[in-house]
């Protein structure tokens, strides 16, 4: 794929839409394109997070390891990104991500990520929006689970 094709691909990703052409070329040149086959692990919960990923094509599952086994908590598709929490919070990976189809990603290192967000406030806003949306979904899921447990307890006690 040519550099211009790569830039056109990046331009389709909401997080990069307002980034100027020359910076997208730099991003395309300095980031690493990786392809994963179905079932292949992209990153593992608990390992150090030295990069984030943007899905260029394909799909992946986000899996959290719990004491009673793994739990799939989200499905990611084209234009989704992941791995930013480990970079932003300087913590180990919070989940495992596995390809569910042939998955093409753009790997963005920590240094490049910080350079991009410092130069492009709009990109920072898009990342914050996505993280806030994830938090909202998690809160709703927790509330639903809490309500179901309360109802089960009432049935059991009553």
């Amino acid at each position: 794929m040519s550099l211009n094709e790569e830039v056109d691909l990046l331009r389709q990703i909401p997080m990069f839409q307002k980034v100027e052409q020359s910076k997208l070329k730099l991003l395309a040149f300095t980031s690493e394109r990786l392809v994963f086959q179905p079932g292949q692990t992209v990153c593992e919960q608990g390992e150090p997070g030295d990069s984030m990923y943007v899905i260029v094509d394909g799909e992946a599952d986000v899996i959290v390891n719990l004491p009673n086994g793994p739990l799939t908590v989200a499905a990611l598709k084209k234009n989704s990104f992941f791995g930013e929490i480990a970079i932003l919070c300087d913590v180990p990976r919070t989940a495992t991500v596995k390809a569910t189809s042939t998955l093409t990603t753009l790997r963005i290192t920590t240094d490049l990520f910080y350079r991009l967000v410092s130069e492009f406030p709009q990109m920072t806003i898009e990342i914050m929006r996505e993280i806030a949306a994830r938090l909202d979904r998690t809160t709703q899921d927790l509330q639903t689970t809490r309500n179901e447990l309360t109802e089960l307890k009432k049935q059991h006690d009553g």
Side-chain angles (χ1 to χ4, degrees):
M1 179 174 283
S2 75
L3 190 59
N4 286 334
E5 289 173 321
E6 190 107 358
V7 168
D8 289 342
L9 199 62
L10 289 172
R11 176 80 57 216
Q12 296 172 26
I13 299 170
M15 171 170 43
F16 300 128
Q17 284 177 348
K18 301 209 177 175
V19 176
E20 60 194 60
Q21 185 89 358
S22 63
K23 299 295 184 183
L24 284 179
K25 281 186 179 180
L26 178 65
L27 175 61
F29 186 73
T30 56
S31 58
E32 183 180 8
R33 181 183 279 261
L34 299 172
V35 178
F36 300 89
Q37 297 308 311
Q40 196 173 2
T41 299
V42 179
C43 59
E44 189 80 40
Q45 181 177 336
E47 70 184 14
D50 62 351
S51 57
M52 70 170 285
Y53 298 82
V54 177
I55 297 179
V56 175
D57 195 29
E59 297 178 352
D61 280 343
V62 179
I63 303 161
V64 176
N65 295 321
L66 299 173
N68 59 341
L71 175 67
T72 300
V73 295
L76 303 173
K77 57 185 178 168
K78 183 177 179 174
N79 297 342
S80 297
F81 58 88
F82 59 93
E84 76 289 349
I85 298 295
I87 291 175
L88 289 170
C89 299
D90 194 26
V91 296
R93 300 271 185 213
T94 58
T96 296
V97 176
K98 282 191 179 182
T100 55
S101 68
T102 300
L103 181 72
T104 304
T105 65
L106 200 60
R107 182 179 174 269
I108 301 171
T109 63
T110 301
D111 291 342
L112 181 57
F113 174 80
Y114 276 119
R115 199 160 107 205
L116 286 167
V117 296
S118 67
E119 290 183 32
F120 300 101
Q122 188 62 39
M123 187 177 144
T124 306
I125 291 168
E126 291 301 324
I127 291 170
M128 286 182 355
R129 281 185 179 147
E130 177 60 28
I131 292 171
R134 291 178 192 170
L135 179 58
D136 182 54
R137 284 192 300 271
T138 300
T139 302
Q140 288 177 19
D141 289 349
L142 286 171
Q143 188 60 49
T144 299
T145 301
R146 184 178 189 179
N147 292 343
E148 290 170 354
L149 288 172
T150 301
E151 190 58 37
L152 282 172
K153 187 173 184 328
K154 284 180 187 176
Q155 291 173 5
H156 181 265
D157 292 345

